Structures are given as structure tokens and as C-alpha cells.
Amino acid sequence: MICAQGVAAPLVLSSLLLQLAGGSCPSGCLCASDILSCGSQGLEQLPAEMPASTATLDFSHNRLVRLEEGDFSGLPRLDTLRLAHNRLTRLSPGSFRNSSGLRHLDLSSNELHVVEQHYFQELLGLEELLLFNNRITRVESKALSGLSNLRRAYLSHNRLTDFPFFSIQEHSHPFLSTLDLSSNRMPKLPLEDIAALPASVQSGLFLHNNTLICECSMYSMFRHWEQRGYGSVKDYREEHTCLVYGERRASVRFFQHTRFFENCTLRVQSLLGEPAASLLAYEGDSVFLDCQTSLRGPQLTYLWVSPHQEYVAPPGNNVTLRMFPNGTLEIQAAKTEDSGVYLCMAVDRQQMRNETREVNVTVAVHRSEAEPFNTGFTTLLGCVVSLVLVLMYLYLTPCRCWCRKQPPAATPSPANECSAQSSILTPTPPATTEGPGRKASNNKHVVFLEPIKEVQNGRLRAALASDNPKLQHLRGDTDSITSVFSDTPIVP
């Protein structure tokens, strides 16, 4: 019978398998193996019955408004659930009951406002959570605390003003490597809570495109991440902005416009979890180096060794290095020659123990942010000076030949009139050729020559062949009457 049906045989077989598995394929949906796809069907509620064997369930691009208790309780094998692009505003308690095996949950592009603590408490195996592009303004403190297997969480493009970083520490979320909080509305960051995060979380913590207020502590944290090569900073340098004095219209890209943080003190400390092994500072900064050690007790003594092999103990050398009793070393008004490796030694004389730590300090010359403006200003100034020189040449030169009294000529000749060969740099009228054998004036300064129509040395000049008043090449024969670069006429 199945063979006679031909093409319909696979559908019949699939239907039989679904019945054996304990469910039927909802109308308008596509069922294949353990996949149930009901996307773009205009559904306002979930189907009453779904195949119990479903592992991947897709209800994206529908009109779902709410998830009710036990909606997925009949799907014990559910691994991936896609509910993106719906109208979900809230999840009822128990919505994911009997779905502890769910690993991938996509709730992006919905209308959720608050992530309540009961939303995901049954999802102990959840690894990936997508909540971006909602209207979330708050994540409750315990909303993610039970997700011990969580690896990636995406909450970008929401309206968050804060986030409970203290709820995702290393002991509670050992596998978390990506937390995307970009494009939200957070004005400040709880730096101590972020410092408690393991380095694997810090390197995958995306905070760009927030409304952060420019602060030295915030700036130091991101600078530290940049030095460590964290992808969350390296890949989005231009998107990291902050608001100067909290003004929205005064947003600056602080990785490029560093002049707003010239007076900030850069510290090497446990602010960011692990002690920094290297530090970048700029000339003029006051740089603090903390002597990180596991030794404890009031009996500890500290000693620093500078890159120039100078031993520094409290209170310091009172010139460039100052040392505090707790072991912190201050480089006052850092200079480029202060760069190098600084060695800290902590000594416990009672227990006969000591620890050392190295910090590599690089002091760079501060790059001025005004350089592009100075270059443009110099160009503009050059144009203005050139214009003034041209105006001086046009209007401040002495009287031209037509306003000076000409000496009487023995014989009226066109050569006594103003010629097109007049110099443009001298008030002295150009010399003319008055006749064969007559020398031109020695005061002639030629910048360019235009063709003239007159007889010279008894011959027509080569310029007569063209009426175009352009610069003519002076021939090196007997027709040349003067040198372009000489005041002395050349007469054959």
C-alpha cells in the first residue's frame, strides 16, 4: 500500500511515526524528525498538542503575547526553543516546567519589560539565552542565579540602567564567557562587582554604546581591558563612548579623545580582578603601582626596585618616586625615562617569607587631540598670507607705465607704448627694441613672456606662428633676445 502511494508514502510514514511518538503535527506547521517549525503562521497561542519527540521547536514570527504554565511540559526532549519576533510581554511561573534539558532559548525581539526571577528557574541546563531587542528595564537579582551552565547571554538593545553583576560570579557561573549588555542606558558601572568577575567573563563583557558618564575609574577599567587585548574592547573601540559631565550632547569616543582624561590617575590594583603585569601611562600622569601580595599582617615591609636599579623604601626619594607604608609606589609626573620594569618585594620577617612582583610600565608621549585642527589652521593661514601678497602685488606696486611720463622718442614707434612683455614684479617699464643693434634696458626682470607681433633684429619671432597668449619656449638660436633668468640682454 505504501509503495502504491508513491510520493505520499513519506508523509504517511511520518504521520505514523508521530502517532507512535505520542502526538500529531499541528495544522500549518512543518514536522521533520525531531523538529517542529510553526514560524510565520500568525499564531496567537501555542497548539494544544505537539509531538512529544520534539527537540527543536520554532514559533518565531508569530503573535504570541504570553506563555502560560506548562506550555512545554509535554516536551521532555526539548533542546532548542525559538520564540523570537513575537509580542511576549510576560512569562507565567512554570512556563518551562519539565524542560530542564533546554539548552538554547531565543526570546529576542519581543516586548518583555522585566526579567523576573521565576522566568528561568527550571532551566538548569540552559547554555544560551537571547533577550536582545526587547524593552527590558530591569533584571531581577536572582533571575540568572540558578543558570549554572549558562555560557552566553545576550541582552543588548534594551533599556537597562543597571545589571546585577554580583549574581554571576565565578562560583555560580563557571562556564559563562559572553555577556552582551551593549546598547543600553547604563550611566554608571559597579566596578567592584565587575572586578569580582573572572577574567574569562571580563574579556567577553560587552558594554559599548551605553550612556556611561565619563569618569576616571571607568576610563581606567576600559584602558586596562584594551591593554590585555580583550575582544570586547578591541573589536568595538569606536563604539565605546561616554558623556562628558553627563550631557547627552557631549558624547566622546574615549579611546580616541584621551585629552578628557589627562588628569586621571592610572592605578595598578586589584580593581579588575587580577593584578596587572603591565601599564601604559602618559607623560605628566601620576601613576600608582600597588604591591600585590598574598602575605598578610602588620609586620610586612615593602621595597621597590626601579628600572634604574634604585632601591625605594618609604617615604621614597622625594624627587620622582614616593612610597606609602602599604607598599604603593607613586611615580610623580611620569616621564618617558621612567619606563621599565618595577620590582616589588614584600617581606614577612616573622615567618621568614617574601614575595616579589613585577610591573612593566610604559610612559608614552601624550598625543595631542588638537593636531588635526592645527594642520587645518596652518593651511588656512597660508591661504590668507598668499591672498594678502597677491593684493599687495596688485594694488601696492608703484605707478605703471601708462601713468608715468614717457621720455620723448626720436621717432614715434609702437615700441614706445606699453608692451605685453611688461614685467609683473618691477615698476620699471620693460625695455623695447627700438631698432637694429639697439640694446634693451638692463633693468628688465622677466617672469613670463607673451607673444608679441613685432619685428626684432630684422626677423619675425617664432611666436608669430600662434596667437595663443601662453608661455612660449625660448629658442636657443639667434632669434632669442633675452634670458629668462638674467638681467643682461643677450645680443647675437
Side-chain angles (χ1 to χ4, degrees):
M1 175 179 177
I2 294 178
C3 295
Q5 298 263 337
V7 178
L11 297 177
V12 174
L13 181 59
S14 177
S15 177
L16 291 174
L17 291 175
L18 288 173
Q19 292 177 7
L20 291 175
S24 58
C25 188
S27 176
C29 299
L30 175 64
C31 298
S33 183
D34 59 354
I35 300 175
L36 172 58
S37 178
C38 299
S40 302
Q41 295 296 313
L43 299 177
E44 297 182 358
Q45 60 183 5
L46 297 176
E49 295 185 3
M50 291 177 283
S53 62
T54 300
T56 300
L57 183 59
D58 185 4
F59 279 99
S60 58
H61 293 277
N62 280 288
R63 301 175 183 175
L64 301 177
V65 176
R66 186 182 178 93
L67 295 184
E68 301 294 343
E69 180 180 358
D71 275 346
F72 308 100
S73 58
L75 307 175
R77 299 179 56 189
L78 189 60
D79 176 85
T80 301
L81 176 59
R82 299 188 178 97
L83 296 167
H85 293 279
N86 276 278
R87 301 175 183 176
L88 295 173
T89 58
R90 192 172 183 273
L91 311 181
S92 298
S95 296
F96 301 108
R97 182 169 300 168
N98 198 30
S99 301
S100 59
L102 187 66
R103 295 190 302 147
H104 307 278
L105 175 59
D106 185 359
L107 291 168
S108 62
S109 300
N110 276 280
E111 299 178 8
L112 297 174
H113 290 80
V114 178
V115 180
E116 300 181 29
Q117 63 182 18
H118 65 79
Y119 279 5
F120 314 118
Q121 62 182 3
E122 297 98 347
L123 303 179
L124 302 180
L126 190 65
E127 297 180 3
E128 185 177 58
L129 176 61
L130 280 66
L131 289 168
F132 63 86
N133 195 29
N134 274 272
R135 301 177 182 178
I136 301 173
T137 59
R138 181 167 54 92
V139 176
E140 293 188 354
S141 60
K142 296 182 180 180
L144 305 178
S145 59
L147 306 180
S148 58
N149 288 304
L150 188 64
R151 300 176 185 270
R152 295 173 295 275
Y154 302 90
L155 293 98
S156 62
H157 292 277
N158 279 289
R159 303 173 183 178
L160 291 172
T161 56
D162 58 12
F163 184 83
F165 290 98
F166 60 86
S167 66
I168 53 170
Q169 303 305 319
E170 184 176 10
H171 63 278
S172 60
H173 294 76
F175 306 109
L176 185 62
S177 60
T178 300
L179 178 58
D180 186 2
L181 297 172
S182 61
S183 300
N184 276 282
R185 302 178 181 179
M186 290 187 287
K188 292 186 178 182
L189 299 174
L191 298 182
E192 293 184 359
D193 293 338
I194 295 177
L197 298 175
S200 58
V201 178
Q202 293 183 31
S203 62
L205 180 55
F206 296 85
L207 295 168
H208 56 275
N209 285 336
N210 268 279
T211 55
L212 298 174
I213 298 175
C214 296
E215 294 178 343
C216 289
S217 55
M218 178 274 303
Y219 173 74
S220 298
M221 182 187 74
F222 284 110
R223 274 295 182 189
H224 177 77
W225 287 359
E226 180 192 35
Q227 293 167 9
R228 295 181 68 100
Y230 288 170
S232 57
V233 172
K234 182 176 62 176
D235 298 337
Y236 298 92
R237 289 186 85 257
E238 294 188 358
E239 285 79 11
H240 280 80
T241 60
C242 66
L243 308 181
V244 180
Y245 304 117
E247 292 291 336
R248 291 185 176 273
R249 292 177 295 180
S251 176
V252 297
R253 293 184 173 93
F254 53 79
F255 281 114
Q256 298 176 354
H257 305 285
T258 57
R259 63 188 181 91
F260 292 102
F261 303 94
E262 289 178 350
N263 296 325
C264 288
T265 298
L266 302 179
R267 285 181 175 268
V268 178
Q269 54 185 353
S270 57
L271 174 66
L272 303 174
E274 299 179 359
S278 62
L279 172 68
L280 173 65
Y282 294 100
E283 279 191 326
D285 286 344
S286 292
V287 184
F288 290 83
L289 310 181
D290 290 345
C291 188
Q292 297 291 333
T293 177
S294 61
L295 302 178
R296 295 292 182 267
Q299 71 280 2
L300 292 181
T301 58
Y302 301 92
L303 178 69
W304 283 88
V305 180
S306 72
H308 307 292
Q309 303 304 314
E310 178 185 3
Y311 290 87
V312 184
N317 60 11
N318 297 323
V319 179
T320 58
L321 300 176
R322 183 172 61 172
M323 187 173 173
F324 300 91
N326 64 354
T328 299
L329 179 68
E330 178 187 6
I331 306 175
Q332 305 180 60
K335 302 178 182 178
T336 54
E337 53 265 28
D338 294 327
S339 300
V341 177
Y342 289 78
L343 178 65
C344 171
M345 293 184 291
V347 181
D348 186 347
R349 299 187 183 278
Q350 290 185 358
Q351 300 183 8
M352 301 300 293
R353 297 176 56 192
N354 65 79
E355 289 183 0
T356 62
R357 176 172 174 265
E358 294 182 353
V359 180
N360 186 12
V361 177
T362 302
V363 181
V365 178
H366 189 76
R367 296 168 292 182
S368 175
E369 298 295 334
E371 182 177 354
F373 171 77
N374 290 340
T375 304
F377 179 76
T378 304
T379 304
L380 178 62
L381 183 61
C383 294
V384 172
V385 172
S386 301
L387 180 61
V388 171
L389 291 176
V390 170
L391 294 176
M392 290 175 62
Y393 149 67
L394 291 176
Y395 297 103
L396 298 183
T397 54
C399 185
R400 295 176 173 80
C401 60
W402 47 265
C403 64
R404 293 176 61 88
K405 185 177 181 180
Q406 300 292 336
T411 303
S413 171
N416 289 3
E417 300 177 0
C418 293
S419 171
Q421 285 183 289
S422 300
S423 169
I424 65 171
L425 294 182
T426 177
T428 308
T432 58
T433 305
E434 298 181 356
R438 184 71 60 89
K439 291 184 178 181
S441 169
N442 290 336
N443 293 327
K444 184 176 182 180
H445 298 269
V446 177
V447 176
F448 63 88
L449 294 178
E450 293 182 355
I452 58 173
K453 297 180 180 181
E454 59 177 323
V455 178
Q456 300 197 7
N457 293 336
R459 301 181 182 180
L460 287 175
R461 292 193 57 191
L464 292 175
S466 174
D467 292 332
N468 186 12
K470 293 183 178 179
L471 178 65
Q472 301 295 323
H473 178 68
L474 299 181
R475 298 172 59 88
D477 54 12
T478 57
D479 293 340
S480 299
I481 62 171
T482 182
S483 171
V484 176
F485 303 106
S486 173
D487 294 338
T488 306
I490 301 176
V491 181

